[in-house]
Amino acid sequence: MVKNKVNIKNKKARFQYEILDKYTAGIVLAGTEIKSIREGKANIAESFCEFNDKGELFVINMDIQEYSHATHFNHKAKNARKLLLNKQELKKLYKEVKNTGLTIIPLRLFLNDRGFAKLQIALCKGKKLHDKRETIKDRDTKRKLNRINKTYNT
């Protein structure tokens, strides 16, 4: 049984993008890449997803650090990695990206119960500056309300 401790999140994604739809995709990885992910040495903060000429979906700019105990067969840190989805899901995403100009952003990298690395991706629309200000304002009001509730409840 594999311990499911790996949960790498893209914290900026929810602030910079409006999330429309979520998908869970498998990733094609080399042996040293999965070992680095199991150690938690991956970063998806600057990454995005893109289709190639054949209609395959790749995650670009995902940083998986080199495995420390590997020999000269180690992987490249910022390599494009293929994502595995159903044909229907791929067609739907391709159509949305091409027609409406939406973006596909990774939200979370995790290990499932069988020990496979999965990437939660989202179909997103970029937020404007006033939307980001609104998000900050909402966060501040929630924080203030929680402080007030704490002082009266104790």
Side-chain angles (χ1 to χ4, degrees), residues 48-90:
F48 59 95
C49 299
E50 202 171 66
F51 284 95
N52 69 354
D53 299 336
K54 297 177 185 174
E56 299 171 331
L57 188 63
F58 284 85
V59 63
I60 311 293
N61 218 9
M62 184 168 93
D63 185 29
I64 300 176
Q65 293 177 12
E66 290 187 351
Y67 185 55
S68 55
H69 303 301
T71 58
H72 60 279
F73 292 112
N74 220 335
H75 64 276
K76 293 178 185 170
K78 290 203 178 208
N79 214 0
R81 293 165 180 94
K82 185 176 177 181
L83 295 179
L84 305 171
L85 286 165
N86 293 334
K87 271 189 182 177
Q88 295 88 3
E89 291 173 334
L90 283 171

Side-chain angles (χ1 to χ4, degrees), residues 36-141:
S36 289
I37 289 174
R38 285 187 182 135
E39 287 182 349
K41 295 184 177 178
N43 185 9
I44 58 170
E46 315 265 314
S47 58
F48 59 95
C49 299
E50 202 171 66
F51 284 95
N52 69 354
D53 299 336
K54 297 177 185 174
E56 299 171 331
L57 188 63
F58 284 85
V59 63
I60 311 293
N61 218 9
M62 184 168 93
D63 185 29
I64 300 176
Q65 293 177 12
E66 290 187 351
Y67 185 55
S68 55
H69 303 301
T71 58
H72 60 279
F73 292 112
N74 220 335
H75 64 276
K76 293 178 185 170
K78 290 203 178 208
N79 214 0
R81 293 165 180 94
K82 185 176 177 181
L83 295 179
L84 305 171
L85 286 165
N86 293 334
K87 271 189 182 177
Q88 295 88 3
E89 291 173 334
L90 283 171
K91 284 180 183 176
K92 183 181 176 190
L93 285 171
Y94 187 77
K95 192 170 77 173
E96 291 285 338
V97 168
K98 289 294 174 193
N99 296 342
T100 58
L102 298 175
T103 315
I104 304 171
I105 301 292
L107 297 178
R108 188 167 74 104
L109 177 66
F110 62 97
L111 295 177
N112 69 358
D113 54 346
R114 293 172 57 195
F116 295 129
K118 300 286 182 180
L119 192 66
Q120 184 180 34
I121 59 174
L123 193 62
C124 300
K125 180 180 173 185
K127 281 187 182 177
K128 304 286 186 229
L129 182 63
H130 58 85
D131 293 334
K132 291 180 186 177
R133 288 181 185 154
E134 201 170 295
T135 305
I136 293 169
K137 195 185 299 181
D138 290 343
R139 196 182 313 145
D140 288 342
T141 54

